[in-house]
Amino acid sequence: LGTSTATGVKIVTVSAGGLQTAFTVTVLPDALAGIELTALPAKRTYVLGETLDLAGLRVNAVYASGAKAQISAYAVDGFDGSRAGVQTVTVFYRGFSKTFTVTVSASSAATVNTGSSSLNVRSAPSLTASIVGTFAAGTRVEVLSREGEWTKVRGTTAAGTTLTGYCYTEYLLFD
């Protein structure tokens, strides 16, 4: 007997002892039974004004047969970057939903914590991005956003210049 996962009408032929018969079978599509979140977004902590970043989110469709398939045609709702607090984000797909939470906080402050050396401020969250300036140890900075190991900050340099850019998070002491 061959197997087929294609939907539609199939003709099945059975032979035994020199006899043969055929009948039709209708193969229905596997019914969607739900969805599951197999990986949450990498970013789940936000500062007011940021937009939702779903990078890293993995969603599977779960079928009645137990089969699973990763999907990307889902919708999300529930995030408001203008409202501080814990928020429930809902992922929707064909009548099914799952949720996860994110936290949006008011912009916060931090202190450059490098010992006696200065902290490089970069144009983008990468060690290969250009250095746009430095903050001296002990400088207070406003935290604008956090992106993994990097934090976007704004502060005043020792020379009195306002500087905005990215610093490696481990060198900041958060309030």
Side-chain angles (χ1 to χ4, degrees):
L1 236 192
T3 60
S4 174
T5 57
T7 60
V9 176
K10 307 294 178 196
I11 298 174
V12 177
T13 304
V14 178
S15 301
L19 299 174
Q20 182 174 335
T21 188
F23 56 94
T24 60
V25 175
T26 302
V27 179
L28 300 174
D30 200 359
L32 182 64
I35 63 171
E36 65 181 3
L37 306 180
T38 59
L40 296 178
K43 182 174 179 67
R44 291 190 304 278
T45 303
Y46 295 85
V47 176
L48 284 173
E50 288 188 287
T51 58
L52 183 62
D53 181 354
L54 295 175
L57 178 64
R58 300 288 178 263
V59 183
N60 277 352
V62 180
Y63 295 94
S65 67
K68 298 177 182 182
Q70 187 172 329
I71 56 174
S72 59
Y74 52 80
V76 295
D77 191 26
F79 180 81
D80 181 353
S82 67
R83 183 177 53 85
V86 175
Q87 299 181 20
T88 300
V89 177
T90 305
V91 179
F92 299 95
Y93 181 73
R94 295 188 182 174
F96 293 94
S97 64
K98 289 289 182 185
T99 62
F100 63 93
T101 59
V102 298
T103 302
V104 179
S105 59
S107 103
S108 61
T111 302
V112 173
N113 186 29
T114 55
S116 60
S117 61
S118 59
L119 178 63
N120 289 333
V121 180
R122 297 185 180 270
S123 61
S126 168
L127 287 173
T128 58
S130 62
I131 296 171
V132 296
T134 60
F135 288 127
T139 301
R140 296 284 294 160
V141 294
E142 178 186 6
V143 175
L144 303 176
S145 66
R146 294 176 84 171
E147 299 178 28
E149 298 177 325
W150 294 88
T151 301
K152 186 174 185 181
V153 297
R154 178 175 36 238
T156 305
T157 67
T161 304
T162 299
L163 186 60
T164 301
Y166 293 86
C167 298
Y168 204 64
T169 300
E170 78 176 65
Y171 297 112
L172 297 171
L173 182 61
F174 295 91
D175 292 349

